[in-house]
């Protein structure tokens, strides 16, 4: 239902730059609170890093990387609910289950039973196959220990240091912890922040057992959030303008009479004015815009910075004949004796793409140096170890996202800026802001919602 905002003052109008999930979440939250927004997006389509791309030379409709959610993504699910989306239509919800395979035919299976948290995790660890009783006990002790200090650390350290400190064996780390760390943080365990990792574990494992569910999209990402968001924004007297790249922002002298002129926003096509401005662009773009801004803008806290290192994610989509399926929706790879490239394989039959596999490779590695033709051959060979009688693939597409996420390294928490800045009316949103989450859909959505709440609070 459209929100009635026929008689809006300029203090209820907001310009949002960037139509990724953070900008969309901010827009939707503000509209729901009675605001009118204008969303400026430089690309021809919204969605940002979580968008669907049209593949010119093929019929494949592909997401810009395979995305998976967790039950604990409550901010994102709240946005789905505002948009009136029926989760059963867009998400397949599966209780935590990890099936790990090695090319040497070793396996490890973790399956959470239908028990309350954290008992479900403890039983899952106890029943874990492929690891010794001692290794399983140590992992349970580790989880109990984390509970005693509420998953909080005074000083940050690497995930690997944390695991070794808690006597997790090399095998356990290789088989389970390392793939989990890469999947959630996209940062190698050698320097991934233990503090942020524990935030994810706490949210997933300590409240409701459903928080650790794995949520797989049943539709491509443009149908999941982008199309419903466009409808919602347009129905509510707000607008999305694609193909307009913001090139400069200016903080004007503030006149008491016309606060609506506080920010001037210049794009490649036009000029806009607003009293409230949200930059929901990636950190390196926001940094550039703020540095070119006519007024010096200090971020709070003082250590905050928008200069990040980035980690890549490679997604290799391989199309096989339609009858080819994975035994599990998601299969993990590990090896104790050789270098392998594939980390996770997802069967895309859920999105109606029978025979299509998405292979995920998170973080840096030798694979970034390989040409796509070679990469796909290696990945195909690794798939052969988990799918019997796998025929040749029909087509493939490698998506290389070199700056997929900020590097979630030790002490990253000290650097992440809050959503408000030292300039009243100027806000930051984006997965890199201080959300306590790594760069994820949930982090992006949470940042957008928090930025919107700051505006609403300031106006009340
Ligand atoms: C390959 C890949 C796989 C991933 N897998 C997962 C996963 O499984 N689960 C998960 O939770 N997360 C995953 N993520 C992370 C998730 O996609 C991101 O954290 C999230 O999409 C970031 O959203 P954002 O709004 O912060 O930024 P972005 O999506 O980067 O949005 C910023 C927007 O700003 C626009 N913009 C930039 N400059 C300008 C300008 N000057 N003017 C106007 N607009 C501008 C951009 O075009 C873009 O649309 C993955 C990411 C990648 C890349």
């Amino acid at each position: 239902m459209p929100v009635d905002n026929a008689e809006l003052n300029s203090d209820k109008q907001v310009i949002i730059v960037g139509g990724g999930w953070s900008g969309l979440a901010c827009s939707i939250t503000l509209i729901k609170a009675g605001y009118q927004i204008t969303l400026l997006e430089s690309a021809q389509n919204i969605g940002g890093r979580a968008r669907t791309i049209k593949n010119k030379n093929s019929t494949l409709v592909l997401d810009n990387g395979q995305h998976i959610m967790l039950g604990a993504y409550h901010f994102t699910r709240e946005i789905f609910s505002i948009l009136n989306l029926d989760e059963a239509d867009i998400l397949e919800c599966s209780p935590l289950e990890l099936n790990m395979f090695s090319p040497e035919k070793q396996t490890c299976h973790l399956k959470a039973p239908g028990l309350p948290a954290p008992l479900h995790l403890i039983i899952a660890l106890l029943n874990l196959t492929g690891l010794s009783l001692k290794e399983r006990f140590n992992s349970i002790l580790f989880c109990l220990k984390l509970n005693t200090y509420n998953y909080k650390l005074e000083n940050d350290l690497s995930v690997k240091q944390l695991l070794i400190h808690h006597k997790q064996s090399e095998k356990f780390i290789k088989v389970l912890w390392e793939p989990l760390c890469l999947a959630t943080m996209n940062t190698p365990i050698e320097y991934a922040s233990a503090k942020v990792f524990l935030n994810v574990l706490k949210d997933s494992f300590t409240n409701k057992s459903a928080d650790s569910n794995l949520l797989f999209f049943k539709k491509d990402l443009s149908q999941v959030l982008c199309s419903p968001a466009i409808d919602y924004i347009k129905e509510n007297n707000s607008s999305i303008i694609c193909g307009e790249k913001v090139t400069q922002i200016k903080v004007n002298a503030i006149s008491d009479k016309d606060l609506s002129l506080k920010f001037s926003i210049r794009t490649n096509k036009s000029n806009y004015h607003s009293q409230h401005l949200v930059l929901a662009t990636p950190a390196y773009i926001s940094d550039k815009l703020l540095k070119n801004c006519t007024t010096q803008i200090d971020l709070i806290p003082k250590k905050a910075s928008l200069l990040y290192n980035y980690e890549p994610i490679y997604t290799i989509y391989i199309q096989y004949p339609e009858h080819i399926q994975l035994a599990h929706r998601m299969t993990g790879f590990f090896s104790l004796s050789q270098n392998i490239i594939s980390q996770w394989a997802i069967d895309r039959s859920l999105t109606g793409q029978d025979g299509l596999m998405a292979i995920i490779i998170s973080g840096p590695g030798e694979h970034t140096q390989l040409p796509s033709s070679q990469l796909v051959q290696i990945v195909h060979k690794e798939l052969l170890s988990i799918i019997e009688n796998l025929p040749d693939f029909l087509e493939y597409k490698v998506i290389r996202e070199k700056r997929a996420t900020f590097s979630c390294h030790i002490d990253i928490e000290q650097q992440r800026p809050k959503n408000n800045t030292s300039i009243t009316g100027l806000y930051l949103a984006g997965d890199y802001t201080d959300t306590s989450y790594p760069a994820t859909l949930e982090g992006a959505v949470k940042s957008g919602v928090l930025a919107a709440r700051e505006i609403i609070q300031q106006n009340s």
Side-chain angles (χ1 to χ4, degrees):
M1 274 292 286
V3 177
D4 184 10
N5 55 4
E7 289 184 18
L8 275 180
N9 298 323
S10 64
D11 66 352
K12 291 252 175 169
Q13 293 175 340
V14 182
I15 289 190
I16 295 162
V17 184
W21 284 44
S22 63
L24 293 172
C26 187
S27 307
I28 292 162
T29 309
L30 285 169
I31 290 172
K32 182 163 181 262
Y35 283 71
Q36 183 182 48
I37 65 99
T38 303
L39 180 65
L40 302 172
E41 166 58 51
S42 58
Q44 292 307 325
N45 295 300
I46 58 168
R49 275 168 279 162
R51 68 185 184 281
T52 301
I53 44 175
K54 302 271 177 296
N55 200 349
K56 273 186 206 146
N57 304 321
S58 128
T59 51
L60 293 177
V61 176
L62 302 173
D63 289 331
N64 178 48
Q66 174 68 43
H67 281 68
I68 299 161
M69 289 188 23
L70 293 173
Y73 281 17
H74 294 295
F75 280 87
T76 310
R77 299 175 79 177
E78 175 58 25
I79 291 295
F80 291 162
S81 139
I82 296 175
L83 294 177
N84 243 336
L85 300 177
D86 182 352
E87 282 199 0
D89 281 347
I90 52 171
L91 293 169
E92 179 187 76
C93 174
S94 108
L96 179 66
E97 181 176 347
L98 298 175
N99 297 290
M100 314 297 294
F101 291 85
S102 82
E104 305 87 23
K105 304 285 175 211
Q106 288 171 302
T107 58
C108 171
H109 301 284
L110 176 136
K111 190 169 181 175
L115 292 169
L119 201 59
H120 74 313
L121 176 65
I122 291 174
I123 303 295
L125 289 170
L126 196 63
N127 291 335
L128 199 66
T129 64
L131 289 151
S132 70
L133 191 61
K134 185 175 172 205
E135 283 168 319
R136 284 178 277 150
F137 264 121
N138 278 346
S139 70
I140 293 170
L141 284 180
F142 174 42
C143 294
L144 293 175
K145 189 83 187 170
L146 293 178
N147 238 359
T148 61
Y149 50 82
N150 199 20
Y151 289 73
K152 295 264 176 267
L153 296 173
E154 210 157 291
N155 297 310
D156 208 356
L157 68 167
S158 76
V159 171
K160 189 162 190 180
Q161 285 167 325
L162 178 80
L163 295 170
I164 290 173
H165 179 75
H166 288 278
K167 300 188 171 49
Q168 302 303 289
S169 72
E170 214 175 297
K171 184 174 176 192
F172 203 112
I173 292 175
K174 203 87 200 141
V175 174
L176 216 64
W177 287 120
E178 185 170 20
L180 274 184
C181 176
L182 276 168
T184 50
M185 314 247 289
N186 192 33
T187 305
I189 53 168
E190 286 77 14
Y191 55 87
S193 159
K195 274 192 175 187
V196 180
F197 191 53
L198 292 190
N199 292 339
V200 179
L201 294 187
K202 181 172 187 248
D203 275 9
S204 310
F205 294 124
T206 59
N207 296 321
K208 291 187 180 145
S209 57
D211 289 342
S212 59
N213 286 348
L214 299 172
L215 308 183
F216 298 97
F217 292 109
K218 287 184 181 174
K219 297 180 174 174
D220 65 59
L221 291 171
S222 69
Q223 293 183 62
V224 169
L225 183 71
C226 300
S227 300
I230 291 173
D231 292 345
Y232 184 81
I233 291 169
K234 289 188 176 163
E235 274 167 15
N236 285 294
N237 200 20
S238 288
S239 47
I240 296 188
I241 303 169
C242 284
E244 285 214 29
K245 180 178 178 178
V246 172
T247 52
Q248 192 167 40
I249 53 175
K250 195 169 158 196
V251 185
N252 298 311
I254 305 158
S255 116
D256 285 338
K257 285 196 185 123
D258 198 355
L259 277 172
S260 63
L261 292 175
K262 178 158 184 181
F263 298 103
S264 295
I265 298 111
R266 185 188 293 167
T267 74
N268 52 336
K269 292 186 184 154
S270 194
N271 287 308
Y272 299 84
H273 300 284
S274 179
Q275 183 178 340
H276 307 286
L277 172 63
V278 181
L279 288 184
T281 40
Y284 55 92
I285 305 278
S286 301
D287 183 60
K288 213 152 106 189
L289 288 170
L290 294 181
K291 279 195 177 134
N292 291 338
C293 187
T294 46
T295 307
Q296 187 62 39
I297 295 172
D298 292 326
L299 296 164
I300 299 171
K302 283 281 174 251
K303 274 190 188 169
S305 150
L306 300 184
L307 298 174
Y308 291 85
N309 295 326
Y310 288 88
E311 305 285 355
I313 299 181
Y314 279 38
T315 311
I316 296 133
Y317 288 103
I318 313 190
Q319 180 70 60
Y320 289 100
E322 287 184 359
H323 67 277
I324 296 299
Q325 284 186 337
L326 285 177
H328 310 279
R329 173 80 50 223
M330 177 168 105
T331 300
F333 293 82
F334 72 95
S335 175
L336 301 173
S337 59
Q338 52 178 293
N339 273 343
I340 52 166
I341 283 183
S342 309
Q343 293 167 359
W344 300 95
I346 315 288
D347 190 325
R348 298 275 299 183
S349 57
L350 189 59
T351 47
Q353 296 171 303
D354 291 347
L356 183 66
M357 307 295 151
I359 314 304
I360 307 171
I361 312 173
S362 298
E366 285 165 20
H367 62 279
T368 58
Q369 308 303 322
L370 299 175
S372 298
S373 54
Q374 201 177 333
L375 198 51
V376 74
Q377 288 298 344
I378 296 174
V379 165
H380 171 67
K381 208 169 138 208
E382 289 172 356
L383 274 174
L384 275 168
S385 67
I386 59 165
I387 307 178
E388 270 179 35
N389 304 321
L390 184 67
D392 272 350
F393 53 87
L394 305 172
E395 60 176 314
Y396 70 92
K397 171 89 184 157
V398 177
I399 297 183
R400 298 166 187 257
E401 265 285 353
K402 292 186 179 144
R403 283 200 277 203
T405 68
F406 67 85
S407 182
C408 199
H409 56 73
I410 304 167
D411 285 337
I412 188 75
E413 290 294 70
Q414 295 178 16
Q415 181 187 339
R416 299 173 78 177
K418 298 276 178 215
N419 301 100
N420 52 359
T421 66
S422 57
I423 305 257
T424 310
L426 177 67
Y427 303 87
L428 302 174
D431 58 5
Y432 68 90
T433 61
D434 188 15
T435 64
S436 80
Y437 256 69
T440 51
L441 297 173
E442 179 71 354
V445 169
K446 184 174 175 184
S447 75
V449 172
L450 295 183
R453 285 185 190 164
E454 290 282 349
I455 296 174
I456 296 163
Q457 196 187 347
Q458 192 210 317
N459 261 350
S460 60

